[in-house]
Amino acid sequence: MRVREGGVEIEAPDDEVFFNPRQELNRDLTVAVLRAYREHEPRAGSYLDAMAATGIRGVRAASEGWEATLCDWDDDAVARCRENLARNDLDADVENRNVNALLHDPGVFDVVDLDPYGTPIPYADAAFANARNLVCVTATDTAPLCGAHFESGVRKYGAVPRNTDYHPEMGLRVLVSALARTAARYDVGVVPVFSHATRHYVRTYLDLAHSATDGNEAIEKLGYLDHCEDCLHRQATPGLIADPWETCPNCESDRVLAAGPIWLGSIRDREFTTRVGEHVDEEMGTAKRACRLANVLEGELDEPTHYDQHRLCKEWGRPAESMEEFLGAIREAGFAASRAHYHGTAFKTPASVFEIRDAIE
């Protein structure tokens, strides 16, 4: 099967080497991020596609002028990477190795891209110990991340995840928390410049700063979330010492959950996100979706959780009006409000659930 994507053409046979066509949005956004990052850090030039498979991501990076290295432990995948580079008249290094071994060789990569099947955590230490500028991470094990597979999430990510009505954001913030704590062990601080939760995966791009102070500053953005399963009230508390509710402070229910440590800081840099949207081009197969996602992310408030309009309206036994009317009523009541990229009825506001209800009645 031949696939044309983003100006390159690759061979992607179904029965030999894994290729996921549903990840085209992920790859299109990766290219847009790399374009924007080159403006942010002009000295960045080397790029590692750590789990290359067919090599599509690394081939596209090479076509953008990056000094690409494509790594995979599978012999068939390595052969396919070489063929796909040659098919596009591109030069890049191809490594037939475990990427953890490669990353512990002398030298560093400016950009390390981890896109494994499942959790990226087994590769995070090597990535942060040996990346200079940017670490890009995909996690496809969303059930552990969001608390649906609770024990697995605790084991893999060293945090308590909870399956709430904002579970996509829970997964993203649990992932960034685990990565920030891993990076800090190497005196590295992380700053998420672009992150999103899309369908079956979460993806984050972390700008790196190399000092113990930077690591400390990232750890200071961690904290805990308390959540009431009855009235849907939630509260974020910074810090690494949890003080969970015994009962909800608003409705006095004892059906309360505590999650953390999770990332409470911003999941993206607003100016950088604008540039990512500007670097999406018409040659990308998911250009409209990519631009729409970047646009929503740009305007998204930095609250640590989002609300689901339909979930709230169902809880209150009332029909849901249009999102624009709904958000307009919240703003008229004096609160900021924005859409959130997680799904079509997701929104963010600093207002509590009770203030939201008062605003729309």
Side-chain angles (χ1 to χ4, degrees):
M1 175 177 68
R2 288 191 179 181
V3 175
R4 186 160 188 84
E5 184 179 292
V8 304
E9 184 178 270
I10 67 158
E11 188 74 23
D14 295 331
D15 57 344
E16 294 179 22
V17 180
F18 180 75
F19 173 76
N20 189 351
R22 294 182 297 171
Q23 288 278 45
E24 185 175 4
L25 174 65
N26 186 326
R27 294 186 290 266
D28 284 348
L29 285 169
T30 297
V31 170
V33 167
L34 290 176
R35 291 171 177 173
Y37 197 78
R38 184 176 282 143
E39 297 173 355
H40 173 76
E41 180 47 82
R43 293 174 295 178
S46 59
Y47 170 87
L48 172 63
D49 182 358
M51 292 89 182
T54 61
I56 178 63
R57 199 181 297 261
V59 169
R60 291 185 65 178
S63 74
E64 293 286 322
W66 289 83
E67 300 168 17
T69 298
L70 286 62
C71 181
D72 205 291
W73 65 272
D74 181 79
D75 294 343
D76 290 335
V78 167
R80 187 62 60 193
C81 287
R82 293 194 172 111
E83 292 171 10
N84 285 330
L85 285 163
R87 182 184 300 278
N88 293 278
D89 296 320
L90 295 169
D91 290 323
D93 292 330
V94 181
E95 296 281 348
N96 190 185
R97 302 178 65 185
N98 182 299
V99 71
N100 282 336
L102 173 63
L103 282 168
H104 281 105
D105 277 354
V108 295
F109 292 94
D110 296 326
V111 180
V112 173
D113 198 326
L114 305 177
D115 187 28
Y117 178 78
T119 178
I121 293 302
Y123 312 100
D125 282 272
F128 289 115
N130 296 280
R132 179 181 285 115
N133 298 120
L134 184 71
V135 172
C136 322
V137 183
T138 301
T140 60
D141 58 334
T142 52
L145 278 167
C146 75
H149 294 169
F150 180 78
E151 291 84 0
S152 179
V154 172
R155 288 197 312 273
K156 293 175 180 176
Y157 294 99
V160 174
R162 293 296 188 182
N163 193 9
T164 63
D165 52 308
Y166 44 91
H167 59 89
E169 185 161 17
M170 177 69 69
L172 178 54
R173 291 182 179 276
V174 166
L175 174 64
V176 177
S177 167
L179 297 174
R181 284 178 279 126
T182 301
R185 290 202 292 270
Y186 300 95
D187 292 341
V188 174
V190 301
V191 177
V193 291
F194 191 83
S195 310
H196 59 103
T198 305
R199 292 184 179 176
H200 62 287
Y201 67 90
V202 294
R203 174 81 163 165
T204 187
Y205 301 82
L206 304 174
D207 195 19
L208 307 185
H210 296 269
S211 76
T213 299
D214 296 314
N216 291 340
E217 289 178 357
I219 294 298
E220 288 172 359
K221 292 182 173 63
L222 304 182
Y224 289 83
L225 276 172
D226 291 291
H227 174 89
C228 177
E229 293 187 281
D230 285 331
C231 73
L232 305 183
H233 178 60
R234 73 284 306 265
Q235 180 176 305
T237 304
L240 293 179
I241 299 176
D243 184 19
W245 295 338
E246 292 185 7
T247 60
C248 175
N250 280 296
C251 72
E252 299 185 352
S253 168
D254 62 359
R255 296 197 332 121
V256 292
L257 303 173
I262 70 166
W263 180 262
L264 297 180
S266 177
I267 61 164
R268 56 88 182 91
D269 176 272
R270 197 179 302 276
E271 182 180 343
F272 186 85
T273 298
T274 302
R275 293 204 299 272
V276 170
E278 292 170 350
H279 283 294
V280 173
D281 63 43
E282 293 181 358
E283 197 169 42
M284 295 176 177
T286 67
K288 289 183 179 180
R289 289 175 59 202
C291 285
R292 185 165 59 248
L293 189 149
N295 184 59
V296 175
L297 266 173
E298 180 187 350
E300 192 172 290
L301 296 176
D302 286 330
E303 300 298 319
T305 70
H306 65 271
Y307 295 97
D308 181 345
Q309 182 212 22
H310 285 181
R311 176 74 174 84
L312 291 178
C313 290
K314 181 179 179 181
E315 182 74 18
W316 299 331
R318 56 164 293 154
E321 57 265 68
S322 74
M323 281 294 288
E324 290 309 313
E325 289 180 80
F326 188 86
L327 296 181
I330 296 172
R331 294 180 187 122
E332 287 177 9
F335 300 100
S338 74
R339 287 182 176 268
H341 78 277
Y342 300 97
H343 53 79
T345 57
F347 70 97
K348 291 200 170 192
T349 179
S352 70
V353 287
F354 301 101
E355 290 167 332
I356 296 170
R357 185 173 185 175
D358 289 342
I360 65 173
E361 288 185 342

